[in-house]
Amino acid sequence: MAHYNKGSALEELKQYKDAIVCYDKAINLNPKNANAYNNKASALHEMKQYKKAIEFHDNALSLGQNAIFFLNKAESLLALGKKEEAKKYYQIALNAECANKGQIKQQLQTL
């Protein structure tokens, strides 16, 4: 948890490369830490490494069906211009009672 928490703090400070190092350590210690995969994907997304981010979104989703994981994958897909696939994941997040309903509905209207 310490590596995961440090990664989260570094990500908040926009120190994405350092955050990824921490998430990697967390994943190595606990390969079933879905949140570490998701946060690593988010950091990669912020670094505009969308394809690589999607790989880690998929890892997170294989470990847990969290609405925010679906939302984050939709954001990376949209950044790659994959609108139809992004729309599918936005809809799943919306149906999964994601807290960001307003944001999701707004995105779906633009797609």
Side-chain angles (χ1 to χ4, degrees):
M1 283 307 290
H3 293 294
Y4 171 79
N5 289 337
K6 183 177 179 181
S8 294
L10 289 166
E11 192 172 354
E12 286 292 318
L13 295 170
K14 300 184 183 333
Q15 295 178 14
Y16 303 116
K17 288 181 183 179
D18 293 333
I20 288 169
V21 170
C22 291
Y23 295 137
D24 283 337
K25 288 178 183 177
I27 291 166
N28 284 334
L29 290 169
N30 180 5
K32 295 187 181 208
N33 186 339
N35 290 319
Y37 286 104
N38 181 66
N39 284 21
K40 180 176 179 177
S42 294
L44 289 164
H45 177 95
E46 292 297 327
M47 295 171 65
K48 299 188 182 344
Q49 294 182 26
Y50 307 120
K51 286 182 182 180
K52 200 169 184 181
I54 289 172
E55 290 177 38
F56 286 92
H57 289 307
D58 288 339
N59 288 334
L61 285 165
S62 74
L63 295 169
Q65 301 289 299
N66 185 315
I68 198 73
F69 297 174
F70 289 113
L71 175 60
N72 290 343
K73 182 171 180 177
E75 293 289 327
S76 291
L77 287 166
L78 185 60
L80 283 172
K82 297 183 176 187
K83 292 181 180 181
E84 286 304 312
E85 198 173 351
K87 188 175 180 178
K88 173 184 143 187
Y89 282 92
Y90 280 124
Q91 192 63 52
I92 293 170
L94 186 63
N95 292 340
E97 298 298 321
C98 188
N100 305 33
K101 282 185 179 182
Q103 174 192 352
I104 295 169
K105 287 180 181 179
Q106 186 177 14
Q107 283 289 41
L108 284 169
Q109 287 177 349
T110 65
L111 295 176

